[in-house]
């Protein structure tokens, strides 16, 4: 089993361009698995981890409700935002500058074949990272992602998640609000949940800005431990 994970930090990149790049990596791995099975070969399948920030964009998952987007196309254009329907699970999500988006494209046959465990470990990676900043984050029963003050009237989401998997190969991932403009969340019903707020690290810490690189390094360290992975640190652009 190949535990090496190739890291690429794409910087600020258009959502559709990144989606296409994800699909390319995803399909290459799936096709290699099919080839291995048909030809009875055992060529190692690769694992990838993409970091990216997106320009303002709203995405709607397969099970999502378009009514959870509260503005029309004209208003989106005024806010310099785009909208896409995509093939991950979950409802509507916002991505924008100041948000760390992570897309692990893993062959889970290299780690474990359990999609629920995969999601729980991604959540744990974020929970452990936030704990290093003194933020007590938790899971909320029946709701994917990472939250603060769960079970209180002040519950608020700090990290959204949505993944797709085929033949145990994953794509899409998580979006952690670090220095995010939370005003954009007012244009939608976040993840289709009407009675809970959204927050960010800089708001919770009372800071103007949190160092994004520092957060990324903590996320990667916890990812390596939780998944037993070996991150290849070189960073390239797609």
């Amino acid at each position: 089993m190949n535990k090496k994970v190739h890291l690429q930090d794409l910087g600020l990149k258009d959502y559709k361009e990144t989606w296409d790049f994800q699909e390319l990596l995803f399909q290459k791995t799936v096709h290699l698995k099919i080839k291995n099975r048909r030809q009875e070969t055992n060529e190692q399948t690769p694992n990838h981890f993409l970091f990216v920030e997106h320009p303002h964009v709203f995405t709607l998952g397969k099970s999502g409700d378009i009514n959870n987007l509260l503005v029309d196309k004209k208003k989106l254009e005024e806010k310099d935002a785009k909208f896409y329907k995509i093939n991950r699970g979950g409802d509507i999500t916002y991505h924008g500058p100041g948000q760390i988006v992570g897309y692990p494209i893993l062959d889970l046959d290299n780690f474990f074949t359990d999609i629920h465990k995969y999601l729980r470990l991604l959540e744990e990676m974020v929970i452990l990272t936030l704990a290093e900043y003194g933020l007590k984050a938790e899971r909320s029963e029946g709701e994917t992602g990472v939250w603060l003050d769960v079970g209180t009237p002040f519950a608020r989401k700090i990290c959204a998640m949505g993944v797709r998997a085929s033949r145990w190969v994953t794509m899409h991932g998580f979006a952690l609000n670090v220095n995010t403009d939370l005003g954009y969340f007012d244009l939608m019903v976040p993840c289709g949940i009407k009675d809970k707020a959204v927050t960010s690290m800089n708001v919770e810490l009372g800071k103007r800005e949190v160092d994004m690189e520092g957060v990324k390094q903590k996320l990667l360290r916890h990812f390596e431990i939780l998944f037993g992975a070996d991150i290849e640190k070189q960073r390239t652009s797609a």
Side-chain angles (χ1 to χ4, degrees), residues 164-219:
R164 173 193 174 198
S166 177
R167 295 180 183 268
W168 297 114
V169 182
T170 68
M171 65 178 290
H172 300 299
F174 66 92
L176 175 60
N177 296 329
V178 182
N179 303 309
T180 315
D181 181 350
L182 299 179
Y184 277 81
F185 287 95
D186 294 335
L187 306 181
M188 68 177 193
V189 180
C191 300
I193 302 169
K194 296 181 179 179
D195 59 346
K196 292 180 182 174
V198 176
T199 191
S200 62
M201 289 181 68
N202 67 327
V203 167
E204 296 296 327
L205 296 171
K207 293 184 176 182
R208 183 178 178 188
E209 190 167 309
V210 175
D211 176 48
M212 300 271 282
E213 284 302 312
V215 178
K216 288 177 186 177
Q217 292 309 310
K218 290 175 175 61
L219 288 167

Side-chain angles (χ1 to χ4, degrees), residues 139-153:
R139 297 173 183 85
S140 181
E141 188 174 352
E143 297 168 330
T144 303
V146 178
W147 303 73
L148 304 178
D149 287 338
V150 172
T152 77

Side-chain angles (χ1 to χ4, degrees), residues 10 15 31 33 47 49 61 67 71 81 108 116 127 136-137 150 153 159 166 168 185 199 218 238:
L10 305 180
Y15 184 86
H31 290 157
K33 294 190 77 170
N47 305 292
F49 193 122
N67 293 318
V71 293
L108 290 182
H116 294 289
I127 289 168
K136 186 178 184 300
V150 172
C159 182
S166 177
W168 297 114
F185 287 95
T199 191
K218 290 175 175 61

Side-chain angles (χ1 to χ4, degrees), residues 19-31:
W19 185 7
D20 290 343
F21 183 52
Q22 273 197 87
E23 281 280 4
L24 177 66
L25 298 176
F26 175 85
Q27 292 299 339
K28 279 184 177 179
T29 302
V30 168
H31 290 157

Side-chain angles (χ1 to χ4, degrees), residues 91-193:
D91 205 283
I92 195 163
T93 300
Y94 161 77
H95 299 305
Q99 183 186 70
I100 293 176
V101 179
Y103 296 130
I105 304 166
L106 310 179
D107 180 2
L108 290 182
D109 271 319
N110 288 324
F111 300 93
F112 48 78
T113 50
D114 185 332
I115 197 66
H116 294 289
K117 179 178 179 180
Y118 173 66
L119 283 165
R120 300 297 83 78
L121 289 187
L122 287 184
E123 290 167 347
E124 189 68 13
M125 171 191 69
V126 175
I127 289 168
L128 292 172
T129 297
L130 293 174
E132 294 196 56
Y133 291 87
L135 297 175
K136 186 178 184 300
E138 305 171 78
R139 297 173 183 85
S140 181
E141 188 174 352
E143 297 168 330
T144 303
V146 178
W147 303 73
L148 304 178
D149 287 338
V150 172
T152 77
F154 310 105
R156 52 210 182 276
K157 194 170 198 174
I158 195 166
C159 182
M161 291 188 182
V163 302
R164 173 193 174 198
S166 177
R167 295 180 183 268
W168 297 114
V169 182
T170 68
M171 65 178 290
H172 300 299
F174 66 92
L176 175 60
N177 296 329
V178 182
N179 303 309
T180 315
D181 181 350
L182 299 179
Y184 277 81
F185 287 95
D186 294 335
L187 306 181
M188 68 177 193
V189 180
C191 300
I193 302 169

